[in-house]
């Protein structure tokens, strides 16, 4: 039985003996405040809950008038700060430039790798980081610590949430596979083996500046993981600290945290309660033991609606409750029912207030001293047996011949001092004085054997005379400059760019060569050097620069040269071009489009994959551009802004953001909205560059998405109520299947008529139908099962953008995961009588295109969405003419991709990302699917 809730102070009348009794036996009605002793719950934070902040946590019946929050305290990490000596002289330690600022990877990031395979990340974990790791075949399960540089903003943390979700899922899947294999071995009487990822961390520790914990906690409404604790370590630079001692020490390195305080920064005193609340929420997001199938009995009137309610029928069997509820019938019987416990992290309705911080985090990293070489001849001269040499190496003293005490220093050469590097993040010139004034740079003990400094610099910082002088006076160090000013906007994701270039050769009217540049935007820096992607500085066993991991600039001629040898693809493309050039065909298309309000309307697919960013497809985002009514984003997955910049360039993307009227989020799953912050922040920054200002923008989403927006907007201003009109759908499915945005909700924002239809996917998931004043009608499904209501509301749509996550033969998976197959999506299009259908949101596991034998009636035009594809609605049939050429290209690439993925799986298996059973299962699924398609 769990220890009951006990009070430390209830009232002056309580005695010590009474305090030992369970809570429900005490008379607490006279007490106004309850304080719970920390000794009773040493691993938890216990808070009295504010009714405006935290909903009730249910207590025993006699104590229902009290409300509390019990949050598990993050596991304390208090490593020793004493210098230690590593005795593994062969341990490898190196730091590599993993990403440089580009459209694909907006932030600069370093990977610190150790000989045991574990990794630290240092720098900006920006949007696109996870996708770059897949491209570079970097396993993520062995990442144990992440050190965020710079101010806490979406630029430095935009890829953090997605990465944490993936790491948690990967480790959990690997452990489950290993446990299953061990179970089978135990049944056979065989020896149980250790898990493949036994060296993987039990939790992920994230270090950063002020607002780090708040940023993570703001995602509590859509981050649901268990068993992979997330431990944030937030450094408030305004608090006094001893900068001479390292702030982080483990078996590999010592790290000093160097905060640069902004000269002008809002301050807000953070109470102990607020700090612990945020920490408790973060723990509940990743480390709780909550289970979906746990039901709790409550009275019907105490159920927080909406909720799925169960009860036991007359036979005592569990079934869903379908009777009256208090929201519709206040007089309904208050009977006992069963409900699921809410996800613990969501019990905090609102986070404590905070303000943006301009403080920037930097780090100094050093390895531990290493023992010197063992002198075997000296040990022999003292009469030490060779079998005892290891004891001396381990630090023991032994008795040699003639009773001489032999100590380790008598047989070891002098220890090798630790060495390292620094990471300096200066986003603006306002922080240069704060950097120069830090005492760490003048501390000889800290800076001894520092061999290089990685500079992550904002606009114009690298050319500031103060920085140039500082670098020149320390010419003995290597200075690596990483910034948008100095690093070229190179293609960082070569795999998707490769086939995008080939598709541009096949159909140049729908595809562009991704906008990029292999030259820096400014002149060579006056001091320092610009490292190439993959540049590595080895620290142990000896300091040297390595070039074996350099990633060459992509030669965009290679995809074209390889396509020249694909005769079948070129012939199909030539046939398509001949078809769309035929005057009769063009006249037929013009006649079909006559009198339709589609002139100049274009749909651009910015992300066409599902769940997580993959090597070949980014996550969900679709842009609608209209000549009269502006532009609209339908979902906004991670790095949507980067995709815009690859399609249109930086300047072109800015023009689209200025023209943006609304961002519509279909539901709160992370893959549909983690790019919103960067889009809104960049649009807000354009206001200062626009003499006439910009129109306000509408942000349409469900209540859980609105909670994230309001909480995170305290960390980084995304426009707030001044430039963003937040339109929230709150449980609209409980009254009608759909609803329309009212003019009062829109305010001064000019929008088309938007109808939201509740669909079956997750709580408050919705499909959207946009109807413009000229009659243009566009329907967007989001993620869902087939919806009759959606088909009815969208009847006669000129364009239906519908998810098609699974191939048609995977009906079971579509049902289980509440998605649609290709056939189901097309059936919705038939019921809707949509003129054109664009299928998107494909499962990341399938590189090939599904076959459309069932869709050939000539009444509707169907296209498959590809990343960075832009199609004008009046040219849908032109694009459809290239379908067979696209299919041939993808089928050709599919075999190559499967081979690459198998190689990646083998490499990931070594890193502990996939257990052996998972790898074999993945290969088996691919072979079976290949046979079905053949």
């Amino acid at each position: 039985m769990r220890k009951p809730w006990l009070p430390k102070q209830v009232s002056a009348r309580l005695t010590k003996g009474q305090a030992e009794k369970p809570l429900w036996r005490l008379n607490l009605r006279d007490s106004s405040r309850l304080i719970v002793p920390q000794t009773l719950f040493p691993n938890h934070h216990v808070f009295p809950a504010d009714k405006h902040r935290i909903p009730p946590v249910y207590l025993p019946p006699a104590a229902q008038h009290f409300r509390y929050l019990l949050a598990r305290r993050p596991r304390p990490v208090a490593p020793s700060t004493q210098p230690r000596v590593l005795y593994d002289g062969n341990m490898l330690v190196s730091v590599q430039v993993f990403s440089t600022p580009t459209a694909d990877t907006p932030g600069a990031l370093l990977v610190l790798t150790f000989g045991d395979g574990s990794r630290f990340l240092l720098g900006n974990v920006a949007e696109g980081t996870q996708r770059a790791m897949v491209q570079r075949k970097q396993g993520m399960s062995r990442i144990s610590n992440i050190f965020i540089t710079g101010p806490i903003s979406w630029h430095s943390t935009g890829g953090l949430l997605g990465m944490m979700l993936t790491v948690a899922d990967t480790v959990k899947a690997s452990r489950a596979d290993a446990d299953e294999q061990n179970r089978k071995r135990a049944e056979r009487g065989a020896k149980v083996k250790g898990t493949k990822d036994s060296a993987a961390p039990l939790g992920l520790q994230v270090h950063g500046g002020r607002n780090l914990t708040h940023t993570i906690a703001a995602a509590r409404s859509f981050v649901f993981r268990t068993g992979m604790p997330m431990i944030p370590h937030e450094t408030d630079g305004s608090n006094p600290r001893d900068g001479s001692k390292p702030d982080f020490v483990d078996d590999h390195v010592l790290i000093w945290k160097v905060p640069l305080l902004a000269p002008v920064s809002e301050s807000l005193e953070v109470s102990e309660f607020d700090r612990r609340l945020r920490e408790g929420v973060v723990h509940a997001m990743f480390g709780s033991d909550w289970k979906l199938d746990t039901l709790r009995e409550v009275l019907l009137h105490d159920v927080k609606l909406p909720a799925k309610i169960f009860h036991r029928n007359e036979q005592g069997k569990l079934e869903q409750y379908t009777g009256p509820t208090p929201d519709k019938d206040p007089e309904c019987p208050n009977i006992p029912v069963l409900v699921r416990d809410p996800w613990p992290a969501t019990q905090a309705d609102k986070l404590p207030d905070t303000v943006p911080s301009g403080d920037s985090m930097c780090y100094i990293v050093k390895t531990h001293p290493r023992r010197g070489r063992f002198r075997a001849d000296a040990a022999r001269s003292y009469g030490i047996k060779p079998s005892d040499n290891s004891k001396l190496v381990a630090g023991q003293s032994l008795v040699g011949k003639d009773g001489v005490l032999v100590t380790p220093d008598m047989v070891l050469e002098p220890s090798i001092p630790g060495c390292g590097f620094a990471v300096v993040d200066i986003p603006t010139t306002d922080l240069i004085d704060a950097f120069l004034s830090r005492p760490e740079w003048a501390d000889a003990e800290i800076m001894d054997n520092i061999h290089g400094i990685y500079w992550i610099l904002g606009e114009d910082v690298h050319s500031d005379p103060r920085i140039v002088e500082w670098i020149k006076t320390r010419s003995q160090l290597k200075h690596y400059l990483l910034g948008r000013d100095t690093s070229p906007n190179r293609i960082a994701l070569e795999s998707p760019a490769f086939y995008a270039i080939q598709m541009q050769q096949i159909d140049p009217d729908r595809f562009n060569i991704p906008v990029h540049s292999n030259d820096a935007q400014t002149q060579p820096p006056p001091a320092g050097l610009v490292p190439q992607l993959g540049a590595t500085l080895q620290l142990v066993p000896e300091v040297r620069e390595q070039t074996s991991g350099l990633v060459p600039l992509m030669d965009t001629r290679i995809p074209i040269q390889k396509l020249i040898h694909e005769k079948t693809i070129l012939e199909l493309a030539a046939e398509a071009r001949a078809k769309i050039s035929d005057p009769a065909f063009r006249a037929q298309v013009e006649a079909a489009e006559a009198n339709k309000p589609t002139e100049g309307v274009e749909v651009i697919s910015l992300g066409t994959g599902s769940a997580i960013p993959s090597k070949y497809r980014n996550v969900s985002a679709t842009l609608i551009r209209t000549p009269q009514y502006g532009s609209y984003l339908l979902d906004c997955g991670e790095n949507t802004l980067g995709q815009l910049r690859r399609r249109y360039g930086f300047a072109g993307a800015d023009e689209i953001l200025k023209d943006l009227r609304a961002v519509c989020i279909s539901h709160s799953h992370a893959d549909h909205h983690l790019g919103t912050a960067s889009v809104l922040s960049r649009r807000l920054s354009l206001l200062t560059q626009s003499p006439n200002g910009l129109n306000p923008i509408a942000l349409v989403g469900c209540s859980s998405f609105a909670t994230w927006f309001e909480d995170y907007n305290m960390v980084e201003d995304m426009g707030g109520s001044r430039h963003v009109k937040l339109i929230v759908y709150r449980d609209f499915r409980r009254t009608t299947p759909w609803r329309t945005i009212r003019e009062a909700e829109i305010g001064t924002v000019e929008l088309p008529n938007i109808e939201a239809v509740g669909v079956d996917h997750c709580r408050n998931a919705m499909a959207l139908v946009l109807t413009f004043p000229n009659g243009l009608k566009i329907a967007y499904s989001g993620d869902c099962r087939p919806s009759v209501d959606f088909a009815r509301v969208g009847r006669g749509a000129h364009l239906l953008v519908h998810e098609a996550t699974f191939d048609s033969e995977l009906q079971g998976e579509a049902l289980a995961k509440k998605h649609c197959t290709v056939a189901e999506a097309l059936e919705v299009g038939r019921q809707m009588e949509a003129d054109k259908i664009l299928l998107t949101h494909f499962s990341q596991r399938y590189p090939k295109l599904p076959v459309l034998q069932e869709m050939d009636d000539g009444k509707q035009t169907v296209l498959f969405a590809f990343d960075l594809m832009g199609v004008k609605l009046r040219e849908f049939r032109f694009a459809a003419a290239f379908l067979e050429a696209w299919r041939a290209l993808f089928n050709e690439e599919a075999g190559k991709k499967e081979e690459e993925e198998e190689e990646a799986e083998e490499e990931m298996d070594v890193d502990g990302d996939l257990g052996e059973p998972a790898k074999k299962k993945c290969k088996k699924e691919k072979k079976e699917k290949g046979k079905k398609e053949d």
Side-chain angles (χ1 to χ4, degrees):
M1 181 177 179
R2 294 185 178 180
K3 186 180 295 184
W5 288 70
L6 300 178
K8 179 179 180 183
Q9 297 176 357
V10 176
S11 71
R13 296 193 303 272
L14 284 180
T15 66
K16 181 178 180 181
Q18 286 177 307
E20 299 298 324
K21 298 178 182 179
L23 174 66
W24 52 86
R25 294 182 183 175
L26 297 174
N27 180 15
L28 307 180
R29 295 184 181 277
D30 295 333
S31 64
S32 59
R33 185 179 182 188
L34 181 69
I35 301 177
V36 181
Q38 193 63 61
T39 55
L40 292 177
F41 299 99
N43 297 321
H44 294 73
H45 297 307
V46 187
F47 309 116
D50 183 319
K51 64 181 181 179
H52 298 296
R53 181 174 292 164
I54 306 167
V57 175
Y58 289 89
L59 298 174
Q64 288 287 336
H65 56 285
F66 283 99
R67 296 178 177 182
Y68 312 94
L69 174 66
L70 177 63
R72 188 180 298 275
R73 183 190 297 273
R75 184 170 53 189
V77 180
S80 170
T81 57
Q82 297 298 320
R84 67 187 76 179
V85 176
L86 292 183
Y87 291 99
D88 187 356
N90 296 321
M91 176 72 76
L92 293 173
V93 181
S94 62
V95 58
Q96 183 181 52
V97 177
F98 176 75
S99 68
T100 60
T102 68
D104 299 322
T105 54
L109 185 65
L110 308 175
V111 176
L112 183 60
T113 304
F114 305 102
D116 60 1
S118 59
R119 300 184 180 97
F120 290 3
L121 302 182
L122 298 99
N124 303 149
V125 185
E127 296 177 59
T129 299
Q130 185 179 183
R131 200 175 179 199
M133 287 198 162
V134 176
Q135 176 71 58
R136 300 279 165 253
K137 300 181 181 179
Q138 285 272 3
M140 285 181 276
S141 71
R142 301 295 290 277
I143 298 171
S144 60
N145 284 268
I146 299 175
F147 294 84
I148 305 293
T149 64
I152 294 300
S153 66
W154 208 252
H155 176 76
S156 59
T157 63
L160 181 62
L161 293 173
M163 178 178 293
M164 291 190 299
L165 292 171
T166 299
V167 170
D169 290 344
T170 302
V171 172
K172 183 178 179 180
S174 181
R175 289 173 179 162
D177 287 333
D179 290 344
E180 176 65 17
Q181 290 302 303
N182 282 333
R183 184 187 66 79
K184 293 179 179 179
R185 290 190 184 99
E187 291 177 353
R188 299 194 306 265
K191 183 179 179 181
V192 174
K193 297 182 178 180
T195 60
K196 284 278 184 181
D197 65 340
S198 57
L202 296 177
L204 183 62
Q205 301 187 50
V206 182
H207 309 254
R210 186 148 54 97
N211 287 330
L212 171 64
T213 311
H214 188 105
T215 297
I216 300 172
R220 65 196 178 282
S221 62
F222 56 86
V223 171
F224 304 91
R225 294 298 183 272
T226 59
M228 183 69 181
M230 155 62 58
I231 307 168
H233 300 273
E234 185 171 313
T235 300
D236 188 347
S238 60
N239 293 334
R241 47 190 296 277
D242 185 0
S244 63
K245 296 181 180 179
D247 300 280
F248 174 89
V249 180
D250 72 351
D251 290 336
H252 298 111
V253 292
L254 307 92
I255 297 181
W256 287 259
K257 299 178 179 179
V258 186
L260 309 182
L261 302 186
V264 179
S265 181
E266 292 184 72
S267 61
L268 180 69
E269 184 177 351
V270 180
S271 68
E272 183 68 8
F273 173 85
D274 291 347
R275 183 183 66 81
R276 289 184 175 183
L277 173 61
R278 292 187 181 101
E279 290 177 353
V281 168
V282 171
H283 174 80
M285 291 166 63
F286 292 92
S288 76
D289 56 0
W290 178 85
K291 295 182 179 179
L292 178 64
D293 56 0
T294 301
L295 295 177
R296 173 175 43 83
E297 183 175 301
V298 296
L299 295 176
L300 179 60
H301 285 224
D302 293 331
V303 176
K304 183 179 180 182
L305 298 173
K308 187 170 286 189
I309 306 173
F310 300 87
H311 75 117
R312 296 193 181 277
N313 59 22
E314 295 178 354
Q315 291 76 34
K317 294 183 179 180
L318 193 68
E319 64 181 15
Q320 188 168 347
Y321 175 77
T322 57
T325 53
D327 59 332
K328 295 182 179 179
D329 181 8
E331 303 299 325
C332 66
N334 194 20
I335 60 174
V337 294
L338 297 167
V339 295
R340 291 190 177 97
D341 278 325
W343 177 254
T346 61
Q347 295 185 78
D349 287 344
K350 184 180 184 302
L351 295 180
D353 291 342
T354 188
V355 293
S357 172
D359 300 344
S360 182
M361 283 300 302
C362 309
Y363 302 95
I364 300 173
V365 182
K366 293 184 74 172
T367 62
H368 293 283
R370 292 177 290 129
R371 66 169 177 82
R373 186 177 63 87
F374 181 77
R375 295 159 49 205
D377 55 342
R380 283 196 302 270
S381 68
Y382 289 117
I384 301 298
K385 298 178 181 179
S387 59
D388 290 335
N389 289 349
S390 60
K391 297 179 181 179
L392 287 168
V393 172
Q396 297 183 30
S397 298
L398 302 175
V399 177
K401 63 183 180 181
D402 302 326
V404 176
L405 182 65
V406 181
T407 60
D409 61 291
M410 297 167 63
V411 295
L412 292 173
E413 293 182 353
S415 63
I416 304 170
C419 61
F421 62 95
V423 187
V424 176
D425 194 318
I426 307 178
T428 67
T429 55
D430 294 339
L431 286 168
I432 294 179
D433 288 337
F435 161 75
L436 297 174
S437 64
R438 290 299 308 188
E440 289 85 353
W441 314 124
D443 190 314
E445 184 177 354
I446 294 176
M447 295 300 292
D448 183 43
N449 274 336
I450 295 296
H451 291 276
I453 297 182
Y454 292 88
W455 299 82
I456 302 176
L457 304 178
E459 188 175 357
D460 298 330
V461 177
H462 78 282
S463 58
D464 188 282
R466 293 167 292 178
I467 294 296
V468 174
E469 179 64 21
W470 198 94
I471 292 176
K472 288 183 176 180
T473 57
R474 291 160 179 81
S475 58
Q476 76 279 11
L477 303 177
K478 290 283 189 179
H479 297 274
Y480 306 101
L481 305 184
L482 299 165
R484 186 178 160 190
D485 283 354
T486 56
S487 301
N489 182 29
R490 59 175 292 163
I491 291 176
L493 304 176
E494 296 87 353
S495 296
F498 186 94
Y499 78 73
I501 293 171
Q502 289 189 330
M503 296 187 79
Q504 189 273 341
Q505 296 296 302
I506 294 172
D507 184 6
D509 292 329
R510 257 60 63 181
F511 294 90
N512 296 337
I513 292 178
V515 178
H516 67 284
S517 172
N518 291 336
D519 300 319
Q521 299 185 31
T522 61
Q523 297 296 322
L529 56 91
V530 179
Q532 191 172 338
L533 189 65
T536 302
L537 177 64
Q538 178 182 287
L539 301 174
V540 177
E542 61 180 353
V543 178
R544 62 188 181 93
E545 291 183 309
Q546 295 180 331
T547 59
S548 58
L550 292 179
V551 179
L553 295 169
M554 182 177 182
D555 187 346
T556 55
R557 296 171 298 179
I558 294 178
I560 300 172
Q561 292 169 356
K562 290 189 175 182
L563 184 62
I564 293 174
H565 301 289
E566 302 294 340
K567 294 184 178 180
T568 301
I569 299 174
L570 295 177
E571 289 173 358
L572 290 171
E575 292 175 6
R577 282 192 288 272
K579 179 178 180 179
I580 65 175
S581 299
D582 180 40
F585 177 78
R586 298 184 76 89
Q588 183 181 5
V589 171
E590 290 176 5
E593 294 296 326
N595 301 321
K596 292 181 181 178
T598 56
E599 182 67 39
V601 180
E602 186 179 15
V603 55
I604 299 94
S605 300
L606 299 172
T608 60
S610 64
I612 60 174
S614 75
K615 192 173 183 178
Y616 294 96
R617 292 185 185 272
N618 200 40
V619 285
S620 297
T622 302
L623 176 69
I624 305 295
R625 302 186 70 184
T626 67
Q628 295 173 271
Y629 309 110
S631 300
Y632 301 81
L633 269 174
L634 306 178
D635 280 332
C636 190
E638 182 179 324
N639 208 28
T640 293
L641 180 59
Q643 294 287 87
L644 277 171
R645 288 169 170 172
R646 278 290 179 238
R647 168 81 187 183
Y648 298 103
F650 280 79
D654 285 348
E655 292 304 314
I656 289 176
L657 294 182
K658 293 177 183 179
D659 189 50
L660 199 60
R661 300 288 180 86
V663 178
C664 301
I665 306 299
S666 62
H667 61 290
S668 62
H669 285 171
D671 59 314
H672 288 256
H673 67 79
L674 284 184
T676 309
S678 55
V679 166
L680 295 181
S681 297
R682 178 56 186 167
R683 190 177 189 274
L684 182 63
S685 68
L686 294 174
L687 280 171
T688 59
Q689 305 172 23
S690 304
N692 299 323
L694 298 176
N695 292 325
I697 186 173
L699 184 60
V700 182
C702 61
S703 56
S704 54
F705 171 75
T707 298
W708 167 83
F709 175 82
E710 291 169 347
D711 282 339
Y712 183 72
N713 195 65
M714 290 189 282
V715 174
E716 179 180 5
D717 187 8
M718 296 181 288
S721 59
R722 297 170 292 116
H723 304 291
V724 176
K725 176 63 178 179
L726 183 61
I727 302 171
V728 183
Y729 292 97
R730 298 186 184 276
D731 310 323
F732 61 92
R733 278 193 289 172
R734 296 191 61 80
T735 55
T736 59
W738 67 87
R739 58 159 294 187
T740 303
I741 295 178
R742 306 297 179 190
E743 290 184 5
E745 295 174 303
I746 298 173
T748 60
V749 182
E750 295 182 5
L751 291 181
N753 184 64
I754 300 180
E755 294 172 282
V757 183
V759 290
D760 183 18
H761 180 65
C762 66
R763 181 182 174 184
N764 281 342
M766 59 184 177
L768 297 169
V769 179
L770 284 69
T771 305
F772 294 82
N774 64 352
L776 174 67
K777 195 171 188 178
I778 294 176
Y780 176 62
S781 71
D783 287 3
C784 64
R785 293 290 299 143
S787 170
V788 175
D789 290 327
F790 179 44
R792 181 167 61 252
V793 175
R795 183 70 52 82
H798 298 95
L799 172 66
L800 166 63
V801 182
H802 205 290
E803 71 122 289
T805 306
F806 295 105
D807 279 350
S808 297
E809 73 265 16
L810 295 176
Q811 179 72 31
E813 289 206 41
L815 281 168
K817 298 181 179 180
K818 296 188 176 182
H819 285 291
C820 284
T821 65
V822 172
E824 288 173 329
L826 294 176
E827 179 58 29
V828 172
R830 288 193 186 99
Q831 295 175 8
M832 188 179 289
E833 298 178 3
D835 187 37
K836 301 169 181 68
I837 302 174
L838 180 66
L839 300 181
T840 187
H841 196 270
F842 302 111
S843 173
Q844 305 286 17
R845 72 180 80 177
Y846 304 121
K848 294 183 180 180
L849 289 177
V851 178
L852 281 182
Q853 294 176 348
E854 68 272 24
M855 189 62 200
D856 191 24
D857 57 10
K859 296 180 180 179
Q860 295 172 311
T861 306
V862 180
L863 284 181
F864 294 97
F866 301 94
D867 280 18
L868 306 184
M869 179 181 78
V871 184
K872 294 181 178 179
L873 263 58
R874 288 185 172 245
E875 297 179 359
F876 246 60
R877 295 188 67 183
F878 294 167
F882 291 91
L883 179 60
E884 291 306 316
W886 293 345
R887 191 190 311 282
L889 174 64
F890 266 70
N891 289 346
E892 179 68 27
E893 291 295 320
K896 300 174 185 176
K897 292 174 188 175
E898 289 179 2
E899 292 177 5
E900 292 174 0
E901 287 168 1
E902 289 187 5
E903 293 174 1
E905 286 164 10
E906 292 171 2
E907 181 169 334
M908 291 170 73
D909 187 44
V910 172
D911 288 337
D913 283 6
L914 289 174
E916 187 69 24
K919 186 173 70 174
K920 290 181 178 178
K921 180 181 178 182
C922 189
K923 291 182 180 179
K924 183 178 179 182
E925 287 180 351
K926 289 175 182 174
K927 290 180 180 178
E928 290 177 350
K929 176 168 174 55
K931 291 178 182 177
K932 290 179 181 179
E933 291 181 344
D934 292 341

